[in-house]
Amino acid sequence: MKLEQYLQGKYSKTSYKAHGYMIGKYLNYIGGKAETAEYKDILDFIAHLRKHENFSAESLKRYLSEVKVYYNYLLETGQRNGHPCRELYLKDKIDRQIKVDRLYTEETLESYLEKTRRDPDGPLKRRNEVIVSLLVYQALTVGEICHLNTEDINLEKAEIYIRSEHRKKARTLPLRAGQILLFYHYLNEDYPNLTKYLTINPSSGLGPIRLITGRLQQQVTPNALNRIINEKRKPEERLRPVKIRQSVIAHLLRKENDTRIVQAFAGHNRASTTAGYRQNELETLKSAVNTFHPIR
């Protein structure tokens, strides 16, 4: 079995190439002695990434994980007897603190949505506006948007239901007034044409009908959605979906005194996660000094 076949069997179609890329980076570094490498060789690779690639602690741990996958492959296919780094764990502390002072302003988010409204992308125009409105107004993750079904939208009650997903609670959120008409036109005018050639026909009852579909009538993945929302945008105009979500949550905390309200909105399991988005006055002052001080 070749490495690519092994990864295809272990990971999804959309992710196995990313795993292969990281393993490939290790193989390029280690050269011809990959199959016979020892513990010290793996440490040298991590040191190389740390010094020359300036990777974060999270990235270093991810690359080490992929190196372990590679040697699992060699073991399982009988190309090697021992695993050189199975018990190797990095102690680098991952910084999970939200950089509140670097988030998008409310004006930036509104401008982003307005540019999407003006985008002349034919039958996909309303679809793209639906996606960006869910990012800006409901602070959904790309995964949550991709897993929305048409039945999750209740226009009569002006509500949207978000299912539980990866450490996030299920919740029902209100739709903004402008979203109601947008969703109505999308579902009744654009959506039937976008889904008429899907393998799962909306009338077949064979599976959930996703709210978001692609240009070629395929269901959209989170990675594809990341690309969709920044198509035709200049590099300096591109926004990251995760940072949009973080920005919306941080802005809500500035306006709401009760963290629990924002916690329910975001679907966080723990109040401490929500509290991490709160910026106190001292942090605001420090950010302003760092930004506008004449000697920078």
Side-chain angles (χ1 to χ4, degrees):
M1 183 189 299
K2 293 184 178 180
L3 176 61
E4 184 174 4
Q5 294 173 309
Y6 177 81
L7 296 176
Q8 285 177 325
K10 188 176 178 67
Y11 301 105
S12 70
K13 258 194 264 187
T14 56
S15 67
Y16 87 90
K17 289 185 179 180
H19 294 278
Y21 170 80
M22 287 188 277
I23 291 174
K25 195 173 185 72
Y26 167 69
L27 295 178
N28 287 336
Y29 171 83
I30 205 73
K33 64 175 186 177
E35 294 183 11
T36 59
E38 300 297 334
Y39 186 84
K40 183 181 181 302
D41 297 312
I42 314 302
L43 288 179
D44 288 343
F45 172 63
I46 298 299
H48 167 78
L49 294 179
R50 197 191 304 275
K51 182 177 180 180
H52 299 288
E53 304 282 354
N54 196 28
F55 280 176
S56 66
E58 189 171 5
S59 295
L60 290 174
K61 291 186 178 183
R62 191 177 300 122
Y63 270 92
L64 175 59
S65 175
E66 296 304 330
V67 172
K68 290 181 179 182
V69 169
Y70 171 70
Y71 286 108
N72 286 339
Y73 155 72
L74 293 184
L75 287 172
E76 292 177 32
T77 54
Q79 299 179 61
R80 185 181 171 111
N81 293 324
H83 197 301
C85 58
R86 178 177 287 146
E87 303 303 321
L88 174 60
Y89 299 96
L90 302 181
K91 293 185 177 181
D92 301 64
K93 186 176 180 180
I94 297 176
D95 183 7
R96 301 189 184 279
Q97 184 177 1
I98 305 297
K99 304 296 189 292
V100 179
D101 58 307
R102 300 179 190 174
L103 298 180
Y104 304 128
T105 65
E106 291 182 277
E107 292 76 13
T108 298
L109 296 178
E110 285 292 345
S111 173
Y112 182 56
L113 183 54
E114 184 57 35
K115 285 183 179 179
T116 306
R117 292 192 183 107
R118 298 196 302 266
D119 184 9
D121 201 6
L124 297 178
K125 179 183 184 300
R126 285 198 189 104
R127 182 210 63 178
N128 294 348
E129 190 179 341
V130 165
I131 293 171
V132 176
S133 75
L134 290 169
L135 291 168
V136 171
Y137 291 143
Q138 280 77 33
L140 300 190
T141 66
V142 288
E144 289 172 334
I145 294 175
C146 289
H147 294 141
L148 282 173
N149 300 332
T150 53
E151 63 190 35
D152 297 330
I153 309 298
N154 189 326
L155 294 180
E156 289 186 4
K157 294 184 177 180
E159 291 178 345
I160 179 170
Y161 175 71
I162 296 93
R163 302 168 191 276
S164 175
E165 184 220 45
H166 187 57
R167 300 180 184 175
K168 294 180 185 64
K169 292 181 178 179
R171 57 207 186 275
T172 299
L173 299 176
L175 291 171
R176 296 285 187 95
Q179 286 179 295
I180 298 172
L181 195 59
L182 168 65
F183 276 70
Y184 175 83
H185 286 303
Y186 171 67
L187 289 170
N188 289 281
E189 297 172 17
D190 303 331
Y191 192 76
N193 291 324
L194 289 173
T195 57
K196 63 184 178 183
Y197 298 118
L198 279 176
T199 305
I200 298 177
N201 191 283
S203 61
S204 68
L206 296 178
I209 308 305
R210 301 300 190 198
L211 178 69
I212 304 300
T213 182
R215 188 181 295 274
L216 300 177
Q217 293 83 38
Q218 78 277 23
Q219 293 183 349
V220 174
T221 63
N223 284 339
L225 195 145
N226 270 289
R227 293 193 299 271
I228 286 170
I229 66 170
N230 281 308
E231 275 185 325
K232 303 177 184 176
R233 298 184 185 279
K234 298 176 182 178
E236 64 272 15
E237 294 178 345
R238 293 173 185 166
L239 301 188
R240 293 173 52 216
V242 65
K243 197 170 176 181
I244 294 175
R245 171 177 165 81
Q246 292 172 345
S247 303
V248 174
I249 295 170
H251 295 321
L252 280 175
L253 277 172
R254 281 200 197 100
K255 300 173 183 177
E256 299 283 356
N257 292 320
D258 195 340
T259 304
R260 290 172 296 180
I261 295 175
V262 182
Q263 179 187 356
F265 170 85
H268 291 151
N269 283 316
R270 299 180 180 179
S272 59
T273 302
T274 311
Y277 290 81
R278 190 180 293 281
Q279 185 177 34
N280 60 40
E281 292 181 3
L282 178 58
E283 290 171 327
T284 305
L285 178 60
K286 285 167 62 179
S287 174
V289 169
N290 289 336
T291 303
F292 300 110
H293 196 282
I295 304 176
R296 294 181 63 207

